[in-house]
Amino acid sequence: AQSVAQPEDQVNVAEGNPLTVKCTYSVSGNPYLFWYVQYPNRGLQFLLKYITGDNLVKGSYGFEAEFNKSQTSFHLKKPSALVSDSALYFCAVRQLKAAGNKLTFGGGTRVLVKP
Amino acid sequence: EPEVTQTPSHQVTQMGQEVILRCVPISNHLYFYWYRQILGQKVEFLVSFYNNEISEKSEIFDDQFSVERPDGSNFTLKIRSTKLEDSAMYFCASSGAGPEDGRWEQYFGPGTRLTVT
């Protein structure tokens, strides 16, 4: 079975400050890891993914995430947050070599960036 | 930029009625999915569909649910006899296919909010 935990329901950060959204996962074998963002009344938008290779992956809108196998974590980061980054962020995992490409999502973290 | 679209955006139905939720995946994608999100809860996988058959389904996806790709563009989710607990936001998604299919990110539609009264 695969699972994802996002330990923070909400993260508050001042505009211009670094933003980190935490994610830990549990999966058999090696994972595929994804971050999505959801704005009000919109679907989930893909931000970035880790498949293999460099542990630091870069994605859309200046976001990046660091894969840490020993800590089974995949934290999302942005060096300088914008007010427009305020949204709901979801981490997701997929087990390698599993049929069907099922994604398992964390519970989501609401990010509030204050001016 | 290509998008996944879903109709309707909001569907209200009475318990016991059948509903069909419609999706138009991105045109060159070959994998299709349905997820749902009950208010305040996690996004949950329902089913994946590839090559005109179900690839995987969750325990939620019981005999009341079915999926179909009736033509080259639409992908539908049917709930035969809705229950109150089916009230949720239903998301359609699609992804590309090829070697190591799981590498492909899934693109989500805006969702259909289903309210069962």
Side-chain angles (χ1 to χ4, degrees):
Chain A
Q2 52 195 42
S3 65
V4 177
Q6 293 181 242
E8 300 155 317
D9 290 336
Q10 181 158 323
V11 169
N12 297 320
V13 63
E15 187 174 32
N17 282 0
L19 169 63
T20 298
V21 185
K22 295 179 181 175
C23 170
T24 58
Y25 67 89
S26 173
V27 72
S28 300
N30 293 321
Y32 291 150
L33 293 157
F34 303 83
W35 275 101
Y36 285 84
V37 61
Q38 185 179 31
Y39 297 100
N41 301 315
R42 301 286 297 275
L44 284 74
Q45 295 179 35
F46 169 73
L47 277 180
L48 50 78
K49 65 182 178 184
Y50 171 81
I51 302 299
T52 187
D54 287 343
N55 290 340
L56 185 65
V57 294
K58 295 188 183 295
S60 307
Y61 313 120
F63 283 94
E64 58 190 29
E66 186 166 12
F67 171 64
N68 187 317
K69 188 171 183 178
S70 63
Q71 296 185 6
T72 62
S73 67
F74 189 55
H75 301 331
L76 181 71
K77 299 180 181 183
K78 186 170 183 180
S80 178
L82 301 172
V83 173
S84 58
D85 294 327
S86 298
L88 190 56
Y89 291 80
F90 291 95
C91 181
V93 67
R94 181 196 175 278
Q95 184 178 342
L96 256 65
K97 301 187 188 299
N101 295 335
K102 164 188 172 182
L103 286 179
T104 297
F105 284 87
T109 298
R110 188 166 300 281
V111 169
L112 181 59
V113 182
K114 297 180 180 177
Chain B
E1 185 176 329
E3 289 183 332
V4 176
T5 59
Q6 291 184 242
T7 54
S9 57
H10 190 190
Q11 173 93 44
V12 181
T13 190
Q14 289 189 328
M15 197 167 49
Q17 295 297 304
E18 175 184 286
V19 294
I20 298 176
L21 309 184
R22 291 183 166 80
C23 168
V24 178
I26 294 173
S27 62
N28 62 345
H29 283 181
L30 298 177
Y31 265 101
F32 313 112
Y33 313 85
W34 284 100
Y35 291 82
R36 78 173 187 189
Q37 185 179 30
I38 295 172
L39 189 63
Q41 297 186 24
K42 293 185 178 185
V43 176
E44 302 173 289
F45 170 80
L46 291 178
V47 65
S48 60
F49 190 86
Y50 174 70
N51 202 24
N52 281 320
E53 60 183 24
I54 290 174
S55 302
E56 186 179 5
K57 61 182 181 179
S58 71
E59 55 274 10
I60 302 169
F61 195 88
D62 61 20
D63 292 343
Q64 292 301 311
F65 291 87
S66 62
V67 289
E68 192 179 29
R69 187 152 164 84
D71 52 42
S73 59
N74 290 284
F75 180 52
T76 62
L77 174 70
K78 181 194 288 187
I79 309 175
R80 287 189 183 80
S81 178
T82 50
K83 307 184 187 95
L84 294 176
E85 55 264 37
D86 294 328
S87 295
M89 181 72 89
Y90 287 80
F91 293 106
C92 174
S94 68
S95 65
E100 300 182 27
D101 296 328
R103 290 173 171 255
W104 297 86
E105 56 271 22
Q106 296 175 23
Y107 290 88
F108 284 75
T112 293
R113 181 166 298 285
L114 177 65
T115 302
V116 182
T117 62

